[in-house]
Amino acid sequence: GAVVSQHPSRVICKSGTSVKIECRSLDFQATTMFWYRQFPKKSLMLMATSNEGSKATYEQGVEKDKFLINHASLTLSTLTVTSAHPEDSSFYICSAPYAKRLYTEAFFGQGTRLTVV
Amino acid sequence: RKEVEQDPGPFNVPEGATVAFNCTYSNSASQSFFWYRQDCRKEPKLLMSVYSSGNEDGRFTAQLNRASQYISLLIRDSKLSDSATYLCVVNLGGYNKLIFGAGTRLAVHP
């Protein structure tokens, strides 16, 4: 199956700093990737759609200047949490769609647990 | 109204029990449907896709009712290893944007 690799898996940063999270499709190309956030015991919430070679599409309520997304190649999307604050502490996870014969399956990265102190 | 709604549970069942999860979705234009499983602090993984005719994979049976916008998952002969959160997922089509339900937590005990 397709593999999506996300890095880092865990990061602790100081309030006010920026953190970059990488999402790579290792054995397939992904013109679109998705970024989700999950708070403890809550559902995954779609933050934005990352589009290769063009601007990301953000969901309602997600600040695009706060969560910068870059999708510069067909295998890499990055999410940068700028000027992080404790309330940004969460589990961030990316996914990429992979077309199979009967349906398209979403493959997920391993997730990044961000703690802002 | 949430786009995808699930009973959050938790469902606490003994080994060998049969358990059913339900899910409703609000967007009638939704094109494809899935059940994902998420273990604690891990990424979600596809359990099975859901077809209109219903489909079965071992102990797992999924059903879709497009008229009622309702999806179900039945787990027979529950195992301890089935303990996880089960996510109902809807694909709105186009760019394969998946919308997740809040998940139903299952705990299978000896």
Side-chain angles (χ1 to χ4, degrees), chain B residues 43-96:
Chain B
E43 75 273 24
K45 293 189 176 176
L46 179 67
L47 178 65
M48 59 196 303
S49 55
V50 188
Y51 303 122
S52 296
S53 55
N55 47 301
E56 187 175 309
D57 183 3
R59 297 182 293 110
F60 300 86
T61 301
Q63 296 278 353
L64 166 65
N65 184 322
R66 284 190 183 267
S68 303
Q69 295 180 198
Y70 171 89
I71 306 160
S72 66
L73 175 68
L74 184 76
I75 305 176
R76 291 182 299 278
D77 189 24
S78 298
K79 311 290 184 191
L80 295 175
S81 57
D82 294 333
S83 298
T85 296
Y86 291 83
L87 303 165
C88 176
V89 184
V90 171
N91 186 339
L92 298 181
Y95 295 101
N96 298 301

Side-chain angles (χ1 to χ4, degrees), chain B residues 8-25:
Chain B
F11 284 61
N12 294 299
V13 302
E15 276 186 286
T18 295
V19 61
F21 303 141
N22 302 318
C23 169
T24 57
Y25 60 95

Side-chain angles (χ1 to χ4, degrees), chain A:
Chain A
V3 178
V4 175
S5 176
Q6 189 173 339
H7 177 81
S9 58
R10 184 182 295 270
V11 60
I12 301 173
C13 71
K14 290 185 178 179
S15 191
T17 61
S18 295
V19 173
K20 180 186 280 190
I21 303 169
E22 292 187 348
C23 181
R24 294 181 186 273
S25 55
L26 295 187
D27 48 2
F28 67 103
Q29 294 181 335
T31 57
T32 304
M33 291 185 179
F34 300 93
W35 287 96
Y36 294 84
R37 177 170 54 182
Q38 187 175 35
F39 292 107
K41 297 185 179 180
K42 299 292 185 183
S43 180
L44 284 94
M45 296 299 297
L46 179 65
M47 299 175 66
T49 302
S50 173
N51 304 300
E52 188 266 335
S54 65
K55 291 182 180 180
T57 307
Y58 290 82
E59 295 300 304
Q60 193 173 16
V62 178
E63 299 173 59
K64 62 180 181 181
D65 296 328
K66 171 79 171 172
F67 299 99
L68 299 180
I69 290 172
N70 185 281
H71 195 150
S73 79
L74 289 171
T75 58
L76 174 64
S77 175
T78 61
L79 168 69
T80 301
V81 182
T82 63
S83 188
H85 288 99
E87 57 265 30
D88 297 324
S89 299
S90 188
F91 186 60
Y92 293 86
I93 193 164
C94 67
S95 79
Y98 180 75
K100 292 190 164 182
R101 189 169 63 89
L102 294 179
Y103 57 84
T104 297
E105 182 175 342
F107 284 87
F108 288 84
Q110 300 90 333
T112 298
R113 195 159 301 280
L114 170 64
T115 303
V116 185
V117 298

